[in-house]
Amino acid sequence: MTENHQDKLEAIIDEMLLEDPETSYDTLAKWCARYPEHRDALTRFAATRAVQKSLPEGSQIDEARITSRLMSHALSIMHRQGAAARDTAEAVTTRLCEAITESGIPEEEFSRRCNLDETLIAKLNRRLIPVASIPRVAFELIASTIAREVAFVRAMLTGDPIPLGAHKSRSRPAARTEDFLDAVKSSNLSEEAKSEWIRIIEAERKNEGT
Amino acid sequence: MSQAHSDRKPATAPAVEPLTSNYRDGRPYTRRRDVEDQVCRVRDTDPATWPALAKAPAGSDDRLKSEVIVHLVRILRARGETAIAGQLIEQLVKRMEKTATAWAKGFDQTTTEEIVIQVGERVVELILADTPSRQSEFLEVAFAEAVKRRTLNAVERRESQPRTYRFATPTDAGDGSDGTVANPLEGMADGEPSPEEIAIARERPDVLRRCLGAISNPKHREAVVLRFFEGWPIVSKDKTKPSLCTHFGISDRQISNWFAKAFEEVRAMAGDSL
């Protein structure tokens, strides 16, 4: 991930404080020389710190109320994460076709709503398409169609390719993976539907690049 | 190398799972030696005893350091022991409130509480982050500094909004303003305040500190603090170095006028104390 301007500034201030919690003028001047592009922000920060230090004791706050509010925030996060973890644990053992069946939606209807044909569904079901190549729109369409979270769908489609249960040759054939785009091109979707997926993939790639 | 850095364990022999983020110069983030030592002492003990250690009185050897508590919370969450993790988070929240309140002064109670909550919610999110980040790992490096930085950033963002300063009034009794700051007026080379102003700041820093509240203009007051308590120059020949002129975007002459007005108000308040 590209570090943005604010993240970089925060990291610099953290290090400056770590080196000199009092942020003396010499320390400030040194860090301004090291990061001249952040001179004004560093200076403002040091000035704010100095003014705060010079102020007498501040307002009394209702500590009990704030503790209660922050603990509520913490418990809410832990609850959400716990639910997500349970959902993910369930997802990794669930196959797409099972999830479609559980949702009660006929596979034809699923195909229509998600703009996927049976070959694409079969490849997604066997995790033959790397998730990194699957467009965000596809996750969202699948998730809304089967009424699950996007994270659940992502986890469900993530993992090692699943080999076929039955095969004619003596040795089990290697499960060959292919990108979502290649799978679309080799699918039985209409040309119009293929073009739409290609447009979506290109748009998402363009957005990621900016 | 600073004291803070020299107290850090080399990354080659980590007793605790190493942090993954790096300083700007590429060195890895490391916990302080005392933090790692305490983690090693505590992590194999019964977690049920940890909340009591976190609540131990400040200054006692048993009291868990904030950075250690952050690490223990992460251990507990990985084990699914959320009840004890919650008790430890509560102790961190209480410590965070004290630090944030100390660095969010000069506001009314509602605004101060808003700042503390804003900082606290973000710190809680970082403590509980599923994926480690630079910000979340910094909490195990220097918890109080992380809270302080976030609070001061929040204060900066509020600076354009109205605030109510509540300065102490001067009294003859000591109020803790003992002038322990090293005299920053030594070696001043750039633009100078008047000799009388220098004399007041040099000889009666305690009185000046107590009378800051008399300075009605916040900018004037900030200039006095930066010049006389922090030793910032009024101007600097080296343009890369901050100065009062670059910070406020005004001339040295205007800064001198600010000082003149500020000290007039200080003298009026201090009376015979000067």
Side-chain angles (χ1 to χ4, degrees):
Chain A
M1 194 177 73
T2 308
E3 187 182 41
N4 68 32
H5 184 84
Q6 187 61 28
D7 289 343
K8 183 180 173 189
L9 174 62
E10 289 179 358
I12 291 168
I13 296 176
D14 280 342
E15 286 188 37
M16 183 171 76
L17 276 177
L18 195 59
E19 180 181 297
D20 177 10
E22 293 297 312
T23 320
S24 70
Y25 178 76
D26 287 344
T27 300
L28 174 65
K30 186 173 93 179
W31 283 78
C32 286
R34 197 177 289 173
Y35 298 103
E37 72 275 24
H38 293 294
R39 189 190 70 169
D40 290 349
L42 291 171
T43 304
R44 274 198 306 278
F45 177 84
T48 303
R49 190 207 64 83
V51 170
Q52 280 296 318
K53 189 179 148 199
S54 75
L55 291 170
E57 197 157 316
S59 304
Q60 291 294 313
I61 61 168
D62 186 342
E63 290 187 8
R65 188 181 67 82
I66 293 176
T67 301
S68 169
R69 176 158 170 177
L70 293 176
M71 285 310 294
S72 170
H73 187 60
L75 294 174
S76 161
I77 293 171
M78 287 198 281
H79 177 75
R80 203 167 56 236
Q81 289 173 335
R86 284 190 295 278
D87 218 26
T88 303
E90 180 196 346
V92 295
T93 58
T94 305
R95 305 271 292 273
L96 175 60
C97 289
E98 292 169 355
I100 295 169
T101 305
E102 281 173 15
S103 72
I105 292 174
E107 195 164 314
E108 296 75 24
E109 177 65 10
F110 176 85
S111 297
R112 192 187 62 73
R113 286 201 210 172
C114 296
N115 202 13
L116 301 168
D117 75 342
E118 60 184 20
T119 65
L120 277 161
I121 293 172
K123 287 172 182 174
L124 289 169
N125 185 55
R126 290 180 55 209
R127 297 171 181 159
L128 298 180
I129 301 177
V131 285
S133 71
I134 301 172
R136 181 178 46 77
V137 169
F139 288 120
E140 291 171 353
L141 283 172
I142 296 171
S144 65
T145 304
I146 63 172
R148 303 300 294 245
E149 295 290 325
V150 170
F152 177 91
V153 174
R154 186 178 285 278
M156 182 172 64
L157 301 181
T158 301
D160 293 334
I162 299 166
L164 281 172
H167 46 88
K168 291 176 182 173
S169 61
R170 284 186 184 174
S171 60
R172 173 171 283 193
R176 192 169 61 85
T177 61
E178 62 181 325
D179 278 1
F180 186 83
L181 182 59
D182 293 334
V184 164
K185 287 175 180 171
S186 63
S187 71
N188 296 322
L189 285 171
S190 68
E191 288 307 312
E192 189 184 356
K194 287 181 183 178
S195 299
E196 180 61 9
W197 276 122
I198 292 167
R199 188 194 63 73
I200 288 168
I201 290 167
E202 285 175 353
E204 289 193 10
R205 283 179 182 166
K206 195 174 173 184
N207 282 341
E208 283 168 10
T210 54
Chain B
M1 184 175 276
S2 70
Q3 181 68 26
H5 286 175
S6 62
D7 279 350
R8 286 162 206 288
K9 256 192 168 169
T12 49
V16 184
E17 188 178 351
L19 301 171
T20 58
S21 301
N22 292 329
Y23 291 104
R24 306 296 310 169
D25 62 8
R27 286 178 299 115
Y29 269 15
T30 48
R31 302 174 188 87
R32 290 194 316 270
R33 184 182 297 274
D34 58 336
V35 168
E36 291 222 345
D37 287 348
Q38 195 174 52
V39 168
C40 291
R41 275 203 309 276
V42 172
R43 66 182 169 186
D44 294 327
T45 62
D46 180 1
T49 64
W50 296 354
L53 296 176
K55 283 187 224 170
S60 82
D61 290 342
D62 290 340
R63 181 180 166 89
L64 294 180
K65 298 175 194 312
S66 299
E67 295 83 357
V68 173
I69 300 177
V70 173
H71 187 78
L72 295 177
V73 166
R74 289 170 178 165
I75 289 176
L76 289 169
R77 296 202 61 234
R79 295 180 191 167
E81 297 184 48
T82 52
I84 296 173
Q87 292 177 55
L88 292 182
I89 291 169
E90 186 175 354
Q91 295 308 310
L92 279 175
V93 161
K94 287 180 175 173
R95 293 184 192 187
M96 187 280 306
E97 284 171 10
K98 293 207 182 319
T99 304
T101 307
W103 290 101
K105 295 180 287 190
F107 297 101
D108 57 42
Q109 180 180 349
T110 304
T111 308
T112 307
E113 290 183 350
E114 282 173 5
I115 292 173
V116 174
I117 288 169
Q118 182 190 348
V119 172
E121 287 186 342
R122 183 65 187 131
V123 170
V124 163
E125 288 161 14
L126 290 172
I127 292 168
L128 297 173
D130 274 334
T131 310
S133 64
R134 186 204 71 75
Q135 292 102 319
S136 71
E137 291 199 329
F138 194 75
L139 297 178
E140 291 192 47
V141 175
F143 182 85
E145 298 308 329
V147 173
K148 175 177 162 184
R149 197 268 294 162
R150 288 177 181 281
T151 306
L152 289 170
N153 284 159
V155 168
E156 274 184 78
R157 286 193 288 274
R158 299 262 177 172
E159 284 203 317
S160 58
Q161 299 176 17
R163 62 167 73 178
T164 311
Y165 282 105
R166 299 199 311 173
F167 282 87
T169 50
T171 59
D172 290 335
D175 64 351
S177 307
D178 55 6
T180 50
V181 175
N183 192 340
L185 299 174
E186 299 295 339
M188 278 182 165
D190 298 304
E192 295 290 346
S194 76
E196 188 196 2
E197 289 160 6
I198 292 176
I200 291 172
R202 181 174 287 158
E203 291 162 20
R204 301 307 308 269
D206 54 333
V207 174
L208 178 58
R209 193 177 289 278
R210 287 208 303 271
C211 293
L212 283 173
I215 304 172
S216 53
N217 187 316
K219 295 276 185 196
H220 298 181
R221 194 162 51 229
E222 182 177 344
V224 168
V225 168
L226 296 178
R227 178 61 177 158
F228 296 101
F229 296 129
E230 301 292 324
W232 288 29
I234 295 175
V235 292
S236 175
K237 288 174 188 166
D238 181 347
K239 295 298 175 196
T240 67
K241 286 188 173 179
S243 67
L244 296 189
C245 288
T246 58
H247 176 54
F248 291 109
I250 58 174
S251 69
D252 55 346
R253 190 182 184 85
Q254 284 172 292
I255 296 281
S256 295
N257 287 339
W258 283 12
F259 286 152
K261 288 176 185 167
F263 275 87
E264 198 177 312
E265 291 174 310
V266 166
R267 276 190 292 268
M269 185 182 222
D272 294 339
S273 300
L274 290 176

